Amino acid sequence: MKKDLLRVIAKLGYNSAIKAAGAASRYGTYQPEEPEVLQKLRKDK
Amino acid sequence: MIHKFAQMVADFLCDNDTIKEEEKEIYIYGYEIIISNIVNFLIILSLGLLLHQVIDGFLFYIVFVITRQYCGGYHANTYLKCNILFGTLCLVTLCFSNMLYDTSFISLFILFLIYIGCILEYAPIDNEHKKISAEDKKKYRKISIWISILWSAVDIVLFCTAKKYAITLTITLVIIAMLMVIEINRRKELLE
């Protein structure tokens, strides 16, 4: 149960990062620095 | 604070072997986005409830978030400044939407044209922390234009059925345009 919950939380964070990557502005807030790893992941997709 | 909290969550997941150490950066980034979004949503909800304009608040939020995703514009350089700015812009929108209730269609149309002009001239504007590739810039520019066409249709329908929301929508778009102009001017000043 705990592992499943943690996996859901992890998936939320990951999906949020992937969706935010490359957007001009995500949710209109302060934009934290996008990790280079994420940019590479996005290019590979 | 938001960054630290995001880091705590990522550390907790890593300690429980849910994520790998080398992927932590991605998760921290994702959680920062989620947390800052929640904070902004709560700001909108609070202001909406305070001013009895919850629907206007949500309209502002939805239009702001969707449009800025592709057109970009000015961003403050800390979470706190961004949240304060976001709250202030929402407050201004809600106040003006009440004050301008008697606005004619022509006036709203002129305001809409200002927004369209900025989109055609400047969109998309990337962020120093999130550079957009040339390919994505072309794509986002097209999407920005299509979104503008969508908002124009929604604006016309709202003007005929629920005028107050048409005013809220238009003011939000003008604010987005202003933020684009502010960012462009800020960059010109930095270059000089």
Side-chain angles (χ1 to χ4, degrees), chain B residues 63-154:
Chain B
V63 172
F64 192 87
V65 163
I66 291 174
T67 314
R68 289 254 297 181
Q69 188 174 339
Y70 299 106
C71 75
Y74 173 78
H75 287 94
N77 56 7
T78 64
Y79 280 115
L80 181 62
K81 284 180 195 170
C82 212
N83 289 333
I84 291 170
L85 178 64
F86 191 70
T88 306
L89 292 175
C90 178
L91 191 61
V92 164
T93 304
L94 298 184
C95 291
F96 269 95
S97 74
N98 273 329
M99 284 161 54
L100 300 176
Y101 190 72
D102 290 329
T103 307
S104 65
F105 183 79
I106 302 282
S107 306
L108 280 189
F109 182 67
I110 291 169
L111 289 173
F112 195 87
L113 283 180
I114 294 170
Y115 158 73
I116 289 283
C118 287
I119 290 289
L120 292 173
E121 182 68 22
Y122 302 126
I125 301 172
D126 57 11
N127 183 270
E128 59 206 1
H129 291 158
K130 288 158 70 63
K131 292 293 178 190
I132 313 171
S133 65
E135 195 186 320
D136 277 345
K137 273 190 177 170
K138 279 186 195 168
K139 190 171 102 180
Y140 289 173
R141 185 173 169 75
K142 278 186 194 166
I143 294 173
S144 295
I145 292 169
W146 276 112
I147 286 175
S148 304
I149 293 170
L150 170 70
W151 291 144
S152 65
V154 171

Side-chain angles (χ1 to χ4, degrees), chain A residues 22-41:
Chain A
S25 170
R26 194 69 185 176
Y27 299 120
T29 66
Y30 164 74
Q31 304 294 296
E33 196 158 341
E34 201 172 282
E36 280 177 28
V37 175
L38 197 55
Q39 289 169 14
K40 284 180 195 162
L41 257 174

Side-chain angles (χ1 to χ4, degrees), chain A residues 3-45:
Chain A
K3 281 258 175 205
D4 289 336
L5 183 63
L6 290 179
R7 272 193 219 115
V8 167
I9 293 169
K11 206 174 177 186
L12 267 169
Y14 187 81
N15 287 342
S16 171
I18 294 288
K19 282 186 181 162
S25 170
R26 194 69 185 176
Y27 299 120
T29 66
Y30 164 74
Q31 304 294 296
E33 196 158 341
E34 201 172 282
E36 280 177 28
V37 175
L38 197 55
Q39 289 169 14
K40 284 180 195 162
L41 257 174
R42 204 173 154 262
K43 280 180 189 164
D44 292 341
K45 277 195 169 188

